[in-house]
Each structure stands twice: as C-alpha cells, then as structure tokens.
Amino acid sequence: MTSSATERLRRLRWVLTALVTTANMLAIVGLAWWIVRSDGRQGEARLDAELHRVTSSVSRLIILDEAIDFSLVNTDELDDRCPQFAIMPGGTLTFQAHMSRQVCVPMDGAVLSGLAATAVRRGGAVVGYQRDSQGDLVRVRVEPLLDRKHEYVGAIVAVAGTDAERQRHNKLTALVIGGCLVLFAGLGAAAHALSGRAIRPVAAALHQQEVLLAETAHDLRTPVAALRALAETALDNPERQADLLSRTVRLAGRMGRIIDGLLVRARLAAGVEKLAIQPMWLDQLVSTVAEDTAAEGAQITVTAAPTKVYADPILVQRAIGNLLDNAIRYGRRPGAAAIVHITVAGGTVTVADHGPGIDAALADEAFDRFSSTGGSSGLGLSIVRWVAQAHGGTLTVYNADEGGAIFELRLPVSAP
C-alpha cells in the first residue's frame, strides 16, 4: 500500500509540474505574441510616419498654378534620399510625372500611376503594401494633390522598402522565441521543484507511517513471542501459573511501554507533538532506570555526579533503558554474566560493558534500524540516536582498551 501511495505521489508531482508549467507557458506565449505583434505594428507605424513626412514635405514644395512647377522639388534634398517618391498625374491637370532621383526600390511606373489614380478617385490618402518590380513587399503612401480650385490634379506616391524593418522584426521575434524556450525550461524545473516541496509533507507522513509500522513490528516481535510462550507454559504447568502470571504482567507492561515510546516518537517526528523540554536531574533518572531494569544475572553499577540537563524525561528514560538493555543482552562474554558500568557526569551518560566490543568499521551501522552488528540491538540503538539528535545531543560508540563497548549519550546542559 505504501509503495502504491508513493507511486501516486510521484505521478501527482509530475501532474502538478505539467499543470503549472502549462499555465505559465500559455501566459508567456500570450505575452510573446503580444510583444511580437506590437513590435510589428510599431515598425509599420514608423514606416508610415516616414512616408507621411515625405508626402507632406513634397506637397509643400510643389507650386500649383496654371501649370505645375517642380523647381523647388528638384533642388530639395528629399529628391536624393530614401524613401523615394513620385509625383504622378491623375486629375484635371496634365503634366509629366516626376520621379525622385534616388531609386531605393525598383517600382513599375504603371503601378505608381494606378496608385495615384486610386487616391484621386477616393479623394484621400491611400496607405498599404505593394510589390516592387522584383516582387518584394514595399510600403506605400499616396497623397492626392489639390489645386487652388480644390480639384485633384494628381498624387504624390512615396515608397519605402520593408527589408530593414522586416529583418529587425525577425531578429526580435527570434530573441523572443529563444527567451520563451529558456523560460519554459526554467519554469519546468522550478515547477518540478515547487511541486516536490508541496508534496513533501505528504511524503514525509507516508515515510513516518512506514517507519512506525516497521519499528512497531520489530520491537513487538520478541515480546509477543515471549508472551505466547509464557501463556502456553502456564497452560501446561498449572502449578507455576502464579509465577508465570507475574512475568506475563511485567512483559505486557514492557510491551505497553514499547508501543507508547513508538507512538510518541512518531507523533514528534510528524510534528503533532513537541518535545517536553524541562530541567531534570540526569543522575537520578539513570539510577531509577538501573534499579527498575531486570538484571537477569548482570552486574550493574552506577557512578553518578549531580547533573542537570534540559530534555524530555520520558524520551531520555527510554534511551537510557535501551542502552542498558543493549549492554545486558550483548555486553557479555560466552558463559559469563554481563557486567555493566554506568557513569553520569556533565550531561553525559556512559554505558560500558565487558562484552566482545563492536567492530570499528561497523560502528555507524550499529545505529541503523534493524541492524544487529556487534553490540547493537538494532532498533533500540536507532531510537537512542534519534533521542540524542532530537535534543541537539550526540550518541557515540567506541571500544575500551581492555575490551567491551562504550556508548556515550550527550545531552544539553543549558536551557534551549
């Protein structure tokens, strides 16, 4: 079930990534389209403004009387610059068409004449696109000429090539498209990271559930088996039921403490509860744990100096109990009783045994869940390390020169 839930979370992350990326892409594509379209309109407006400048300037240079006089036009610098223009007949007055000396784009005279006739017929300026003699697109503006009688006598046709403006617009379009592609990639990565952060609490909750189930099963497997064995023995030996019943009660109590500890850890790790940090006398707690622990033939000694620490008493009590239980179970030589010595001073609890010790190469693995290397009891030591880290302390292990493993649990001695 956990695996399928994890897989669904992965799919959900990709779905969220796709949705966020797609929504942003649509917005960016819309913005890019608006930028490109606006730039095209602005470029067209610049061409029209330049053409209007030419037609209005030329119209002021033309002298219209009984005949048309181009003398001022011939001497003006407009005649030698782009955009080019042509003054075409098309009304009541007949005259020879005038072409500007500067030829910027090749234009057919018949096309210019037709444009002039259209402007005269409409009685107003004509602006639009045409094709030059080579088939390239050009921008034109045609402005009709009025004589003193307010009759149309012809038109001024200004022509501008669009190659430079088109190249500039195409360059901007390419830059916008390239920028969009870069943004798409960046948005995809950002959306994937954000979606991962969004589902992280759910993934953490699933992980905590998996850890809780695994640790509960691991911690309860041995007590449950022992409880069943005690019950079966009591059924087979009625004369021993009183003794076996008391042992069953103690074992049931131990199982209850295991479950409580696991639930507290799970709730703390999930953020449902907070550590109950308070000042406590570590030496007194260690002595109490040592007195209440079933020695099972082990020799337990405690050397403690008054030590005040700031910690959660319930969690620390379980951590000390796990260290002591680990030393009793594994800190003995074959055929000999366990010898455990506990020292408390300066916020540090040292638990030393006379067992075979622990392989230095496997010391870190001793704190992993379900590991039972050397002196490690598996889950018990992993819980001790978690308690130490939750309080800002440390748990270290090393071997004594004369043999045996030494575990040091350090807790903060100052207020958080």
Side-chain angles (χ1 to χ4, degrees):
M1 183 176 66
T2 303
S3 177
S4 62
T6 303
E7 186 62 30
R8 287 196 297 271
L9 277 178
R10 291 196 187 98
R11 289 198 298 267
L12 176 61
R13 181 180 184 183
W14 284 109
V15 169
L16 290 175
T17 300
L19 289 176
V20 174
T21 304
T22 301
N24 284 281
M25 284 175 61
L26 291 176
I28 291 175
V29 168
L31 178 62
W33 174 82
W34 180 82
I35 292 175
V36 172
R37 188 166 180 263
S38 297
D39 182 74
R41 288 181 173 180
Q42 291 174 6
E44 188 177 90
R46 285 191 292 270
L47 287 176
D48 290 342
E50 185 67 13
L51 292 174
H52 183 265
R53 182 186 65 81
V54 171
T55 56
S56 60
S57 299
V58 171
S59 65
R60 289 193 295 269
L61 295 174
I62 298 174
I63 300 175
L64 287 172
D65 201 349
E66 297 298 330
I68 189 167
D69 185 358
F70 297 143
S71 58
L72 293 179
V73 177
N74 292 330
T75 58
D76 194 87
E77 62 180 6
L78 287 174
D79 213 31
D80 299 305
R81 298 174 59 182
C82 293
Q84 68 190 57
F85 64 90
I87 306 172
M88 308 297 294
T92 59
L93 185 62
T94 301
F95 58 87
Q96 182 68 33
H98 173 83
M99 304 288 184
S100 60
R101 288 188 293 270
Q102 181 67 33
V103 179
C104 306
V105 291
M107 293 296 298
D108 190 342
V111 174
L112 297 177
S113 180
L115 291 171
T118 300
V120 170
R121 184 173 62 253
R122 293 183 180 180
V126 175
V127 180
Y129 286 102
Q130 289 290 328
R131 297 285 178 179
D132 61 14
S133 301
Q134 298 177 352
D136 296 328
L137 200 65
V138 295
R139 187 73 173 172
V140 298
R141 177 182 175 86
V142 187
E143 190 172 317
L145 289 172
L146 285 172
D147 61 8
R148 294 180 179 179
K149 299 178 182 179
H150 297 285
E151 295 179 348
Y152 291 109
V153 296
I156 304 171
V157 184
V159 183
T162 60
D163 288 345
E165 184 62 34
R166 186 170 62 253
Q167 290 175 5
R168 187 202 61 79
H169 179 68
N170 291 341
K171 184 178 180 180
L172 174 68
T173 302
L175 288 175
V176 170
I177 293 175
C180 287
L181 294 177
V182 173
L183 282 176
F184 292 161
L187 283 172
H192 192 63
L194 290 175
S195 61
R197 178 172 296 182
I199 66 173
R200 189 176 299 166
V202 181
L206 285 175
H207 177 70
Q208 290 300 327
Q209 180 185 19
E210 178 186 5
V211 170
L212 176 62
L213 292 174
E215 292 184 350
T216 302
H218 186 276
D219 252 14
L220 293 180
R221 184 179 294 112
T222 300
V224 168
L227 189 64
R228 180 176 179 178
L230 286 174
E232 292 176 348
T233 304
L235 288 175
D236 296 337
N237 302 276
E239 69 281 0
R240 298 181 55 194
Q241 285 184 356
D243 176 59
L244 294 174
L245 183 59
S246 63
R247 293 172 59 185
T248 301
V249 171
R250 290 196 300 271
L251 186 57
R254 178 187 171 194
M255 292 173 62
R257 290 191 296 272
I258 290 174
I259 294 174
D260 290 342
L262 289 172
L263 291 177
V264 168
R265 173 182 174 180
R267 292 173 66 84
L268 287 170
V272 178
E273 292 184 0
K274 301 297 182 183
L275 291 175
I277 302 295
Q278 57 185 283
M280 52 171 285
W281 291 102
L282 185 60
D283 54 304
Q284 296 178 7
L285 184 142
V286 171
S287 298
T288 301
V289 172
E291 292 174 359
D292 294 342
T293 299
E296 300 179 0
Q299 300 179 22
I300 303 175
T301 59
V302 178
T303 302
T307 303
K308 180 186 288 187
V309 297
Y310 289 82
D312 188 316
I314 296 177
L315 294 180
V316 173
Q317 182 177 4
R318 171 150 195 197
I320 301 301
N322 285 358
L323 286 176
L324 186 55
D325 181 69
N326 179 77
I328 293 174
R329 291 188 179 187
Y330 302 97
R332 66 177 69 194
R333 298 187 182 277
I339 300 176
V340 182
H341 185 69
I342 305 175
T343 304
V344 183
T348 301
V349 179
T350 304
V351 180
D353 60 54
H354 286 225
I358 184 171
D359 188 347
L362 303 177
D364 290 337
E365 296 181 8
F367 301 139
D368 291 338
R369 287 188 299 122
F370 317 136
S371 172
S372 57
T373 304
S376 172
S377 64
L379 182 62
L381 291 182
S382 75
I383 293 177
V384 177
R385 181 176 62 174
W386 179 84
V387 171
Q389 293 174 346
H391 289 83
T394 60
L395 174 64
T396 56
V397 58
Y398 54 92
N399 291 323
D401 295 337
E402 61 275 11
I406 299 177
F407 291 86
E408 285 188 354
L409 172 63
R410 294 181 181 273
L411 296 173
V413 295
S414 58

